[in-house]
Amino acid sequence: EFLAHLIREDGKVADHPLNSRLVALEPAELARCPRTIGVAAGPEKVLPIRAALNGRFLDTLILDEETAGAVLQTMEPMQNVA
């Protein structure tokens, strides 16, 4: 869930009936905001954080050390970094 919208792991808004009934800012509308900051903590937030990162919704992300480590452990290793 991001801005009350159900999103998929790849960061795209899910095709779900609940999303069509929301009165909320669309995640894509964040691009008009000069700065977007996310704050999250806890192991239950790892997958939602990854989805928000995959959607490139945030400029800044504030996490506690444990949650940040858990997010990094679930991410694919960088490939062919020059």
Side-chain angles (χ1 to χ4, degrees):
E1 188 177 308
F2 186 77
L3 297 174
H5 293 272
L6 300 174
I7 60 173
R8 301 185 322 223
E9 188 174 346
D10 65 3
K12 295 188 183 346
V13 175
D15 184 19
H16 193 280
L18 290 176
N19 285 338
S20 66
R21 292 187 258 163
L22 288 173
V23 179
L25 183 69
E26 294 282 335
E29 292 178 277
L30 284 179
R32 295 191 315 228
C33 296
R35 172 145 332 256
T36 53
I37 301 171
V39 180
E44 69 280 358
K45 300 291 184 176
V46 171
L47 291 179
I49 290 167
R50 284 193 51 204
L53 292 173
N54 288 335
R56 300 185 184 273
F57 297 125
L58 305 170
D59 297 318
T60 304
L61 181 59
I62 300 169
L63 304 172
D64 62 280
E65 187 175 350
E66 185 177 331
T67 303
V71 170
L72 291 173
Q73 285 180 355
T74 66
M75 297 182 79
E76 294 180 27
M78 295 175 63
Q79 299 191 13
N80 299 328
V81 176

